[in-house]
Amino acid sequence: MTNTDIQLITRLFAAAMLGGVIGLEREYRSKVAGFRTHFLVALGSALFMIMSVYGFENEDVAFDGARIAAQIVSGIGFIGAGAIMFQKHAVKGLTTAAGLWVTAAIGVCAGTGNYILAIAATIMVLLCLETMNFVLNKLGKKIISLSISAESKDEIKTILTKLKSSGFEVGSYNMEMKRKNSGDTYVITMEVQVSRKHYDQKVSELISNFEEVSIDSI
């Protein structure tokens, strides 16, 4: 094994470790793409860059290594798209998809031997994710999906008024009337917003104070 081989293996190792660090944060947050995904994305990006620079040295052809980097940028979009989901009128996974995109760029940096830039980018990604998570927990809001059944529209209005007075912000909602032999039943599905800081307290209030409300999902 030559010194060049050791250097290239070091680049691969550095890329994989930096990607893995970001993946650990995503794994801790229970995101769809965790340690293994980020580890492999960074490793693969570094390997492609190494091959683009050193893999064709003995070939008697003109070769532009930047083409490989361009293909990595576009190719990582397929993985990122798989992390994005559309659920109940909300798009989820955009942050994870962007993280994969940046992880690929970090792998490219490590693959070209630019360790300082790769490490700096990794630190900035972690600061962004953790800082924003802290801020959102203090100032952000969460969405709770509710399903309410009532015998009359007046009863639904009473429930909505009670929710608003309890600190819930009512967002989108849909009402459907179901006809039964025993009488008509109104079913309303809605999304309410509540402060992340008081999330646990508000969920407890829903369960204990709103007997007519069934929590569909949280």
Side-chain angles (χ1 to χ4, degrees), residues 149-153 155-156 182-186:
S149 298
E151 301 298 327
S152 65
K153 292 183 178 180
E155 187 177 349
I156 291 178
S182 57
D184 296 339
T185 300
Y186 294 91

Side-chain angles (χ1 to χ4, degrees), residues 6-142:
I6 295 175
Q7 291 177 1
L8 298 182
I9 293 174
T10 302
R11 293 182 185 184
L12 289 177
F13 182 80
M17 290 299 101
L18 293 175
V21 169
I22 298 175
L24 283 175
E25 192 280 337
R26 296 285 83 190
E27 191 90 38
Y28 175 74
R29 301 295 175 190
S30 300
K31 303 302 180 181
V32 292
F35 173 80
R36 290 175 293 182
T37 304
H38 288 78
F39 182 97
L40 293 174
V41 165
L43 178 63
S45 299
L47 184 58
F48 274 123
M49 280 309 302
I50 289 173
M51 287 302 299
S52 69
V53 175
Y54 299 98
F56 301 91
E57 286 184 330
N58 297 325
E59 300 291 335
D60 189 20
V61 293
F63 183 76
D64 182 9
R67 293 182 180 180
I68 297 293
Q71 294 303 314
I72 293 173
V73 174
S74 59
I76 197 64
F78 289 99
I79 299 178
I84 300 174
M85 297 178 290
F86 184 77
Q87 295 179 344
K88 295 184 179 295
H89 311 291
V91 178
K92 299 182 179 181
L94 285 174
T95 301
T96 300
L100 288 170
W101 182 60
V102 176
T103 300
I106 291 172
V108 169
C109 286
T112 56
N114 199 331
Y115 300 118
I116 295 178
L117 189 60
I119 293 172
T122 302
I123 294 173
M124 292 174 68
V125 170
L126 293 175
L127 285 175
C128 173
L129 293 175
E130 288 302 307
T131 301
M132 288 308 299
N133 185 70
F134 176 79
V135 172
L136 289 176
N137 282 336
K138 296 295 183 182
L139 304 177
K141 296 182 179 181
K142 274 194 172 185

